[in-house]
Amino acid sequence: MMRKKTLLFTLLQILIISGISFAQTLPAGMPVFEESYRREQLLGNNDSLISFTIRPLYAGDQLRSGIDTISAEDRLFKFNSSLKLPGNKAYLQLLPISLQHQYNSILPYDWNDGIMIPAKGNQTQLSFGAFFKYGPLSIQLKPEYVYADNPEYEGFPSEQYDVVWAKYYNNYFNVSDITERYGEDPYSKLFWGQSSVRLTFDPISVGISNENLWWGPGKRSSLLMSNNAPGFKHITLNTSRPVQTAIGSFEAQLIAGRLENSGILPPQENRVYEGKSLYVPKRDDWRFLSGFVLTYSPKAVPGLFIGASQVSQMYKQDAGNRPSDFLPLLLPFESKEAASIRDRYSSLFFRWVLQEAKAEIYGEYGHQGKHSITAFLREPDRSAAYLLGLRKILPLNKRPGEYFQFSLEFTELQQTSVPEKGGWYTSSAVRQGYTHMGQVLGAGIGPGSNLQSLDISWFKGLKRIGLQFERYLHNNDFYYQMYIDPPDFRKHYVDMSAALSADWDYKNLVFSAKGAMIRSLNYQYVLYDRPPEYFVTGWDRINYQLRLGVMYRF
């Protein structure tokens, strides 16, 4: 008996300190693997019913393409990473350890990196944990740790005119909790990461989770849910696989969660304009978030997925006792009274997998806080956002198993009718905006921004070498508020980037690397006026970025 207790205690210790990745879930944005599984579906090697629009995915029989299989002969160390407990009713799984490192030379850059923060210099993320299952109960402990040097960098320039600062506060800092810099010291924090406790009764799962969520078909951006910010604590009720019916298959998730504030003040919070402080303090209250996503694949049109999602947040102190306060679902419009205390986003999306052509097209349309159907019909583009993408895979006939891939994606958050205070992910009702711990929960490019992304790559299984080109237009809502009267198109703040990236596997190891050069044109909207010249030099900056990652699979 004592021997069994000692063994159990040892196993629990291993559970705490060991590495993990995706025993039961494939974390949203997991390096190399998530993208590989999606490619394999286009090649016909994965379940055609998986929409890839609700993530994390369950890594069960539906995700078996051979890319995650390691034979005993190919292992660096002959070690059995799983252990079945007596009676075969439970098992413990030791899974990969992941280490990611990022370096930015002069400015913060990139998004969809979870617990990593926007920072200059070096930053490292470590992911570890383990998975335990007993009957319908599963416990996934996958904490994440991040350390960033977080040195000072050139943010919104103090030399800008007071009126520019006033507009920027009105448009950005006073209606969002998007952090420019995380304090003045190195940043170090341990998170729950991709951890969860679930009860799964196939195909339904219910539980408590801190995992990142990704809703929608986008690869580089998602309008409502992405892994741009750290995961947040939430209760989840979701399908664990596509549910097949006579009319087609369904996937769904319903959540209720808690969003935290960054606790960090914006820059120059003591600045004054026309006798008034620019900074208006925000409420120090956590926010209640509820949301749902539903995807349907009609039986008559194989490969087509259509879906809808919605999220709503409010300060916990504003929540009443009515069910609609906690789950304002399936209501496309809301009263002005509700809109005064609640911030809401909705989207419709589609993904169409053309397996014979080894291609996919996808798109998403979102809107923020519509008050009536009349207002929507009059101005469907007001408070709207868009995403459109496509991917095509071409086999290399003379080299079996090798492919060439072309991907293109456009994201537009800029408003056609510029709102008085901010736009997407900013709010005058919930003044932290749609954020968690200082970062946007949706598209990482942020309010009023647009992104065009082109990716060209070669791949074979997990191995991939690619080129990426992007144009990132920063917060054009602020630009049109500030520089439209008189108009000055020269002052757009644009990042142009080119990156070379690669993924490579060797036995148990999976490596990833990315090197990028980013040229910021008119950084922070600064243009050097030299009359009588019209086309003049802006405050252009060149930033170099390096990302390295390694994963060990037991």
Side-chain angles (χ1 to χ4, degrees):
M1 184 66 179
M2 182 61 67
R3 188 175 180 180
K4 289 184 178 180
K5 288 184 178 180
T6 302
L7 176 60
L8 181 59
F9 179 75
T10 302
L11 291 176
L12 290 175
Q13 285 184 312
I14 295 174
L15 183 66
I16 295 173
I17 64 173
S18 299
I20 184 173
S21 76
F22 46 86
Q24 289 299 305
T25 60
L26 181 71
M30 184 174 188
V32 184
F33 279 90
E34 187 180 58
E35 175 65 10
S36 297
Y37 278 123
R38 185 160 169 168
R39 290 196 307 255
E40 290 294 319
Q41 187 185 52
L42 302 188
L43 298 177
N45 298 328
N46 264 331
D47 191 344
S48 62
L49 296 179
I50 298 176
S51 68
F52 284 87
T53 62
I54 304 177
R55 295 174 261 171
L57 301 171
Y58 280 75
D61 293 337
Q62 290 79 26
L63 284 178
R64 291 296 178 232
S65 62
I67 62 175
D68 58 345
T69 302
I70 309 173
S71 65
E73 294 76 17
D74 289 335
R75 294 180 180 274
L76 289 174
F77 303 103
K78 307 300 187 289
F79 176 70
N80 187 358
S81 62
S82 63
L83 176 65
K84 290 186 178 180
L85 298 183
N88 291 329
K89 293 183 179 179
Y91 72 88
L92 178 69
Q93 182 74 47
L94 307 182
L95 297 161
I97 298 173
S98 177
L99 184 68
Q100 302 288 323
H101 183 80
Q102 176 178 277
Y103 170 77
N104 281 300
S105 61
I106 63 171
L107 300 171
Y109 194 81
D110 223 346
W111 49 94
N112 298 342
D113 48 15
I115 65 172
M116 283 188 170
I117 62 172
K120 169 186 170 182
N122 291 292
Q123 185 169 186
T124 301
Q125 174 185 330
L126 174 66
S127 177
F128 55 95
F131 179 83
F132 173 79
K133 189 175 188 304
Y134 182 82
L137 172 67
S138 63
I139 301 174
Q140 181 168 287
L141 292 179
K142 191 181 187 302
E144 297 171 335
Y145 171 75
V146 63
Y147 176 85
D149 291 341
N150 195 33
E152 184 178 3
Y153 72 94
E154 300 163 320
F156 199 72
S158 59
E159 295 81 7
Q160 285 276 26
Y161 296 116
D162 287 343
V163 65
V164 178
W165 271 92
K167 286 281 189 180
Y168 202 63
Y169 257 90
N170 185 58
N171 175 276
Y172 196 73
F173 289 134
N174 278 333
V175 287
S176 76
D177 185 30
I178 303 173
T179 302
E180 183 177 273
R181 185 182 174 208
Y182 280 72
E184 299 179 354
D185 301 317
Y187 180 86
S188 175
K189 197 172 183 65
L190 179 66
F191 294 81
W192 281 105
Q194 312 306 309
S195 299
S196 66
V197 179
R198 297 174 179 271
L199 290 172
T200 302
F201 304 94
D202 189 56
I204 302 298
S205 179
V206 60
I208 302 172
S209 173
N210 195 78
E211 295 170 288
N212 280 108
L213 306 175
W214 188 295
W215 293 353
K219 289 177 51 189
R220 194 73 171 110
S221 300
S222 174
L223 298 185
L224 267 61
M225 283 287 180
S226 74
N227 66 323
N228 182 63
F232 59 90
K233 299 178 182 67
H234 60 274
I235 300 170
T236 176
L237 174 65
N238 58 272
T239 55
S240 58
R241 59 173 174 83
V243 179
Q244 299 185 56
T245 70
I247 60 172
S249 65
F250 293 86
E251 297 171 90
Q253 184 171 33
L254 176 68
I255 64 164
R258 171 174 176 148
L259 302 181
E260 303 288 353
N261 307 328
S262 70
I264 298 174
L265 294 176
Q268 301 196 29
E269 73 277 7
N270 296 321
R271 194 163 184 138
V272 174
Y273 177 65
E274 293 185 343
K276 295 182 180 180
S277 174
L278 295 185
Y279 174 58
V280 180
K282 301 179 177 69
R283 290 172 58 174
D284 186 17
D285 186 14
W286 66 271
R287 289 157 286 141
F288 175 78
L289 177 79
S290 61
F292 83 96
V293 58
L294 174 67
T295 299
Y296 167 60
S297 178
K299 195 171 185 178
V301 189
L304 176 63
F305 304 93
I306 53 178
S309 61
Q310 183 182 106
V311 292
S312 175
Q313 66 162 338
M314 65 172 61
Y315 292 112
K316 177 59 178 67
Q317 294 176 359
D318 289 341
N321 298 318
R322 297 172 299 180
S324 60
D325 289 332
F326 294 93
L327 295 172
L329 306 176
L330 301 176
L331 300 174
F333 307 102
E334 61 185 355
S335 67
K336 290 185 178 180
E337 179 183 359
S340 67
I341 62 171
R342 189 158 55 212
D343 187 27
R344 188 168 69 161
Y345 299 83
S346 305
S347 84
L348 299 172
F349 57 81
F350 78 94
R351 178 175 179 246
W352 198 352
V353 177
L354 307 169
Q355 204 166 84
E356 290 187 2
K358 296 179 175 57
E360 64 173 324
I361 57 174
Y362 55 87
E364 186 174 13
Y365 162 80
H367 72 259
Q368 177 187 18
K370 295 293 185 184
H371 304 319
S372 70
I373 191 170
T374 303
F376 174 74
L377 292 175
R378 285 175 178 168
E379 295 181 292
D381 57 342
R382 186 179 180 88
S383 300
Y386 308 89
L387 183 149
L388 185 65
L390 62 89
R391 169 167 30 188
K392 170 66 176 176
I393 293 177
L394 299 170
L396 301 179
N397 295 329
K398 295 183 179 180
R399 307 183 71 171
E402 298 185 25
Y403 302 88
F404 179 81
Q405 173 183 261
F406 170 88
S407 299
L408 191 62
E409 185 172 296
F410 300 93
T411 304
E412 183 170 321
L413 305 181
Q414 173 189 335
Q415 301 302 292
T416 54
S417 300
V418 180
E420 293 181 1
K421 291 188 177 182
W424 264 70
Y425 309 135
T426 65
S427 172
S428 56
V430 182
R431 292 184 45 245
Q432 279 78 8
Y434 188 54
T435 64
H436 174 58
M437 301 192 71
Q439 299 192 65
V440 169
L441 284 167
I445 56 177
S449 301
N450 301 333
L451 178 71
Q452 298 87 44
S453 182
L454 169 65
D455 185 281
I456 304 168
S457 58
W458 163 93
F459 72 91
K460 178 181 181 181
L462 288 177
K463 296 178 175 65
R464 183 193 64 85
I465 299 174
L467 288 170
Q468 183 185 72
F469 304 94
E470 291 190 329
R471 177 183 179 271
Y472 173 14
L473 175 63
H474 288 257
N475 201 347
N476 232 27
D477 293 346
F478 168 71
Y479 164 84
Y480 278 109
Q481 281 193 1
M482 191 65 240
Y483 302 115
I484 198 65
D485 189 17
D488 191 347
F489 68 89
R490 302 171 301 164
K491 289 190 175 181
H492 288 287
Y493 170 17
V494 180
D495 287 342
M496 303 296 294
S497 68
L500 174 64
S501 61
D503 305 322
W504 211 263
D505 62 316
Y506 173 74
K507 297 184 182 294
N508 300 58
L509 296 170
V510 179
F511 302 94
S512 60
K514 177 182 177 183
M517 184 184 76
I518 305 101
R519 181 173 183 180
S520 296
L521 306 177
N522 300 339
Y523 177 67
Q524 299 291 3
Y525 313 95
V526 175
L527 186 71
Y528 298 132
D529 292 318
R530 294 200 303 268
E533 296 181 47
Y534 189 73
F535 291 99
V536 297
T537 303
W539 190 21
D540 295 352
R541 314 295 287 159
I542 294 181
N543 181 48
Y544 295 97
Q545 183 193 69
L546 178 65
R547 292 179 64 98
L548 299 172
V550 61
M551 179 188 301
Y552 181 83
R553 300 176 288 167
F554 288 99

